[in-house]
Amino acid sequence: MLNKLIRFIDATNQSISSMVSWLLALMVLTMFCIVVLRYGFNIGSIAVQESITYMHGLVFMLAIAHTLRINGHVRVDILYQRWGKKGQAIVNLLGSLFLLLPVCAFIVYISWDYVSSSWSYYEGSREAGGLEGVFLLKSLIPLMAFLLFLQGLSEAMKSICTLSEKQ
Amino acid sequence: MDGSIALWMFGAVFIVLLMGYPVAISLAGTALVFAFAGDYLGTFDSAFLEALPNRLFGIIENDTLVAVPLFVFMGVMLEKSNVAESLLENMSKLFGTLSGGLGFSVVLVGMLMAASTGIVGATVVTMGLLSLPTMLKRQYDPALACGTICASGTLGQIIPPSIVLVLLGDVISSAYQQAQLDMGIFSPETVSVGDLFAGALIPGIVLVILYLIYLAGIAFFKPSACPALPVEETDNSLYLNLIMGLLPPLILIIAVLGSIIGGIATPTEAASVGAMGATFLAFLKKQFSLQQLKVVAQDTTQVTSMVFFILIGASLFSLVFRGFGGDELIEELLSDLPGGVFGAMLVVMLVMFLLGFVLDFIEITFVVVPIVAPILLAMGISPVWLGIMIALNLQTSFLTPPFGFALFYLRGVAPASIKTSQIYRGVLPFILIQLFLLTLLAIWPDLATWLPTIIYGN
C-alpha cells in the first residue's frame, strides 16, 4: 500500500518533469526563432514573446518536485556526507516533516486568495495582443507547492523505510 | 521591533543548513517557523507574508532570469558533446613540448569552458578527470597540478557569460533601484547584466594573465615541477585539428558575449543563440541525437529548477527577515562602523568570504546580496564594482582551504595517491594571486568600471 503510494507519486512527478524538459527544448528553439525573426526580418509578436515566460515558468516550477527525488537540490554537505545512510535518512525525515511539508502547505494557503481572485476574472495579459492566461500562470504557485508536498510525503516514507531496515 | 530576532534567525538557519537538508527548503522552513513564533508572540506582523505570492509570481515573470536555463542548456550541450576534451587534447599537444605547457593549456581551456558553462563544480570535475591523470603521468608536481586545476575551474564565476553574473546582475539591479529611491532619486539610473559582463571582462582577463605569469615563473625557476612532454613528430594536421577544435567554441563565445556587451542583444536573446550554436556544434561533431537532446534537456531542467527553487526559498526568508526589522538592523550596524564606506565594504566582504565556505554563489546572491547591497549602494558605491568585487571575493573563498568548494570537487575526482594537503598547498599561490587582484580592484575600481563606461557612456 505504502509502496504503491510512493511509486505513484514518484512516477507522476517524473513524467511531469520529463514532459516539461521537452518544453524546455521547445523554449530554446522558440527563443532562437524570436531572435532570428526580430533581427533578420523585423517581425515580433507579443504573444510568442510571452509564450517564453509561460514555458519557462512551467519548466522550473513543475520540475522542482522531481528534482527533490533525484537529490538535485543543493545541500550543505560538509557534515551530511559523513553521516551514513541512517543519519541521512533522519535528516531527510525531519526535514520533510518540519520544513518541507509546512512550507508547501503554507504556500498553497497564502497563495489561495491571490490565485482565486485572478481566476475570478480570468486575468489576462497586461499587453495588447498578449496571452490571456495569466490566471493559469499564477496557478503554478500552488500547483508547484502541491506537487512538492506529495514528493515530500514520498521522501518521508522512504526515509522511514530506510530507518526501519535491519543493519 | 527588535531587529535582533532577525540575527537569531540567521544563526538558526545556519545550523539547520549544516544538517544538510536542501538549502532552499531550509531557508524557507526556518523562516516560517520564526514567522509563526513571532506572530504568536506579537513581535512579527504576519501581513508581511501576504506579499509572498506576488514575489513568487515576480520570479516567474522575470525576463532577465530566462537567460539562466538558456545558458545552462548551452553549457550542458557543450559538455556532453566533449568539446572540452578535444580542446584540451589539441592544446596540450601544441603547448605540451614547452616546460609548463600543460598547465598553460589547463588555464586556457578552463577559461574558455568557464565562459561557456559558468558552473564551478562542472568545470573542476571535468578538468580534474581530463587533465590531472595526464599531468601526473608527465611528472608534474601534484600540488601544482591540483592548484592549477582548481583555480582554472573557478574562473567560471568571474569570466562572462557566467550564470552567477546573470543572477548577481538581476539582484544588484533591483538593489540599485531601491537604493536610489531611498535616497529620494525618483528617476533612478539602471544597471544591467550587460554592464556586469562588461565589468567582469578586464578583471577576468587580468586574472588569467596572472595565473599564466605564475606558471611561467615556475617553469623558469623550477622546471622539474612542470616538465615538458617529449617532442612527438608534429605534422601539419595538428595545427589544423587545433584550429578546427578551437574555432567553433571560440566563435560561439565571442558571438554571445559580443552581442550582449555590444548592446545588440539582451542576455536572453544571446543565450538562445548560444544554446542553438552549441547544439549545432554537437551536430557537426556527430554527437547530436534525439537521445542526447533528451539528456541535455533533462539535466538543464534539473539545474534550472534547483536554481529557481533557491530563489523561491530565499524570497520567503528575506520577507521574514525584513518583517523582523533585520534590514534596518544591518543598515545601522554597517553605517556605524569606523572607516565609513571602506569599513562597511570590508566587513561585508569578510562576511561573504566566510559564508562562501558553507553556501555557494547562488545562495549568497539571493540571500545576502539583497540585504547588504542597497545599503552599500546608498553609500555611493558603484554597482558594477560591487558586483565584480563580490564575484572575485567568492571565487577566492571557493579556493580557500579547508572548506572551499572547488577543493571538494577536485578531491572527489583526484586519485587517492594525491594527499589533501597537496591540494591545499597547490592552491595557496593562486589564493595569493586572487587576493592581489582583489586589492588591485579595491584600489582601482576603474579596472571594473572603465569598460562599461566606455561602451555604455555615462
Side-chain angles (χ1 to χ4, degrees):
Chain A
M1 173 59 202
L2 266 185
N3 273 328
K4 252 188 185 162
L5 187 59
I6 291 177
R7 249 178 285 148
F8 173 73
I9 293 174
D10 288 2
T12 309
N13 275 327
Q14 176 162 27
S15 47
I16 291 175
S17 169
S18 62
M19 265 189 290
V20 294
S21 70
W22 284 114
L23 203 59
L24 178 114
L26 184 65
M27 179 181 116
V28 172
L29 192 64
T30 313
M31 191 66 217
F32 182 71
C33 292
I34 291 177
V35 173
V36 171
L37 288 177
R38 175 176 303 163
Y39 292 96
F41 304 93
N42 220 355
I43 304 173
S45 150
I46 292 177
V48 178
Q49 183 71 46
E50 284 190 356
S51 78
I52 295 288
T53 307
Y54 281 68
M55 287 190 261
H56 176 60
L58 279 163
V59 168
F60 78 81
M61 290 294 270
L62 298 187
I64 287 175
H66 180 63
T67 306
L68 180 74
R69 178 186 156 206
I70 56 166
N71 200 12
H73 290 298
V74 266
R75 302 168 184 266
V76 176
D77 55 4
I78 298 172
L79 300 173
Y80 182 79
Q81 59 183 352
R82 296 175 196 172
W83 277 351
K85 224 174 140 200
K86 298 243 165 173
Q88 296 184 346
I90 292 175
V91 168
N92 288 328
L93 179 62
L94 294 178
S96 300
L97 293 182
F98 295 106
L99 300 169
L100 188 140
L101 298 181
V103 166
C104 290
F106 176 74
I107 291 179
V108 172
Y109 164 77
I110 198 86
S111 64
W112 198 260
D113 286 346
Y114 180 78
V115 174
S116 57
S117 87
S118 174
W119 272 82
S120 68
Y121 62 104
Y122 298 112
E123 184 180 3
S125 176
R126 269 165 290 180
E127 311 268 343
L131 295 178
E132 297 302 328
V134 171
F135 63 102
L136 292 173
L137 201 55
K138 285 187 173 172
S139 310
L140 283 177
I141 297 170
L143 186 58
M144 175 280 284
F146 176 68
L147 292 176
L148 187 60
F149 188 93
L150 289 183
Q151 195 62 50
L153 282 181
S154 163
E155 297 306 316
M157 288 187 283
K158 279 182 233 168
S159 305
I160 293 173
C161 292
T162 309
L163 288 172
S164 60
E165 273 166 23
K166 289 204 191 83
Q167 295 292 347
Chain B
M1 233 177 309
D2 186 7
S4 66
I5 299 177
L7 292 188
W8 281 108
M9 186 170 92
F10 227 105
V13 93
F14 215 72
I15 293 168
V16 174
L17 282 174
L18 280 177
M19 297 293 115
Y21 200 63
V23 171
I25 307 179
S26 303
L27 285 168
T30 314
L32 200 61
V33 170
F34 269 78
F36 280 154
D39 187 40
Y40 182 73
L41 297 171
T43 52
F44 180 81
D45 181 3
S46 61
F48 270 97
L49 295 175
E50 305 275 328
L52 185 68
N54 209 14
R55 286 282 181 97
L56 298 187
F57 189 59
I59 297 172
I60 299 178
E61 265 196 322
N62 187 317
D63 278 338
T64 314
L65 295 179
V66 177
V68 172
L70 298 171
F71 275 131
V72 174
F73 186 94
M74 168 177 157
V76 176
M77 188 58 103
L78 283 178
E79 185 201 324
K80 299 270 181 214
S81 50
N82 302 333
V83 173
E85 273 168 45
S86 48
L87 210 57
L88 196 66
E89 195 179 309
N90 287 319
M91 252 205 211
S92 43
K93 274 190 201 147
L94 181 68
F95 289 122
T97 50
L98 301 169
S99 175
L102 216 50
F104 265 64
S105 325
V106 170
V107 173
L108 291 177
V109 174
M111 175 180 82
L112 287 178
M113 287 317 290
S116 56
T117 62
I119 303 170
V120 187
T123 321
V124 174
V125 168
T126 314
M127 305 290 283
L129 286 173
L130 291 180
S131 46
L132 190 56
T134 323
M135 291 172 106
L136 294 177
K137 205 168 72 193
R138 300 299 176 188
Q139 308 297 321
Y140 262 62
D141 174 22
L144 180 69
C146 291
T148 311
I149 292 170
C150 282
S152 311
T154 57
L155 284 173
Q157 312 267 319
I158 181 95
I159 297 200
S162 98
I163 291 156
V164 286
L165 285 180
V166 176
L167 303 175
L168 199 57
D170 187 59
V171 172
I172 288 204
S173 129
S174 48
Y176 194 41
Q177 301 271 332
Q178 197 196 325
Q180 293 179 82
L181 286 176
D182 289 349
M183 287 189 288
I185 302 169
F186 289 102
S187 54
E189 287 172 24
T190 56
V191 55
S192 69
V193 173
D195 288 319
L196 230 56
F197 278 3
L201 206 54
I202 292 180
I205 290 172
V206 171
L207 193 60
V208 170
I209 293 172
L210 289 174
Y211 285 1
L212 293 179
I213 291 176
Y214 165 68
L215 285 175
I218 294 281
F220 187 76
F221 291 108
K222 205 181 156 198
S224 62
C226 48
L229 304 190
V231 183
E232 295 167 40
E233 55 271 42
T234 43
D235 48 31
N236 289 329
S237 73
L238 167 64
Y239 294 100
L240 194 68
N241 275 340
L242 181 67
I243 292 169
M244 292 306 281
L246 198 56
L247 264 188
L250 209 57
I251 291 175
L252 192 62
I253 290 163
I254 292 174
V256 169
L257 216 54
S259 57
I260 299 172
I261 293 181
I264 304 165
T266 65
T268 309
E269 290 168 342
S272 78
V273 176
M276 285 304 276
T279 312
F280 185 63
L281 218 68
F283 187 74
L284 285 184
K285 295 194 68 175
K286 300 194 173 58
Q287 299 273 357
F288 183 82
S289 63
L290 211 57
Q291 182 56 34
Q292 180 81 311
L293 178 66
K294 190 177 164 186
V295 172
V296 171
Q298 282 179 347
D299 278 11
T300 309
T301 304
Q302 277 145 28
V303 173
T304 307
S305 66
M306 179 270 282
V307 171
F308 281 86
F309 193 38
I310 296 174
L311 186 47
I312 290 173
S315 56
L316 180 55
F317 182 83
S318 36
L319 265 183
V320 177
F321 189 78
R322 292 234 153 85
F324 277 117
D327 48 346
E328 289 144 37
L329 182 76
I330 299 281
E331 187 173 357
E332 266 172 46
L333 288 177
L334 284 181
S335 41
D336 285 350
L337 283 173
V341 182
F342 179 79
M345 188 71 188
L346 189 67
V347 168
V348 167
M349 286 289 136
L350 279 176
V351 170
M352 279 190 185
F353 185 83
L354 295 177
L355 284 175
F357 286 161
V358 183
L359 300 178
D360 78 21
F361 208 138
I362 304 168
E363 292 128 46
I364 292 178
T365 304
F366 292 149
V367 179
V368 185
V369 178
I371 298 172
V372 295
I375 304 168
L376 291 174
L377 293 173
M379 292 174 169
I381 284 177
S382 139
V384 171
W385 181 71
L386 178 64
I388 309 305
M389 284 294 279
I390 292 174
L392 205 55
N393 182 19
L394 287 178
Q395 191 205 341
T396 315
S397 168
F398 296 152
L399 271 180
T400 304
F403 294 122
F405 275 96
L407 310 174
F408 284 124
Y409 286 124
L410 186 66
R411 178 70 275 177
V413 294
S417 63
I418 301 268
K419 289 197 211 90
T420 305
S421 60
Q422 286 176 314
I423 302 184
Y424 291 177
R425 201 151 39 82
V427 291
L428 200 64
F430 288 97
I431 297 172
L432 294 178
I433 293 176
Q434 296 281 135
L435 292 176
F436 173 69
L437 183 63
L438 211 52
T439 318
L440 219 58
L441 189 60
I443 299 172
W444 288 300
D446 283 354
L447 215 53
T449 53
W450 178 76
L451 193 61
T453 323
I454 292 292
I455 295 174
Y456 301 109
N458 76 65

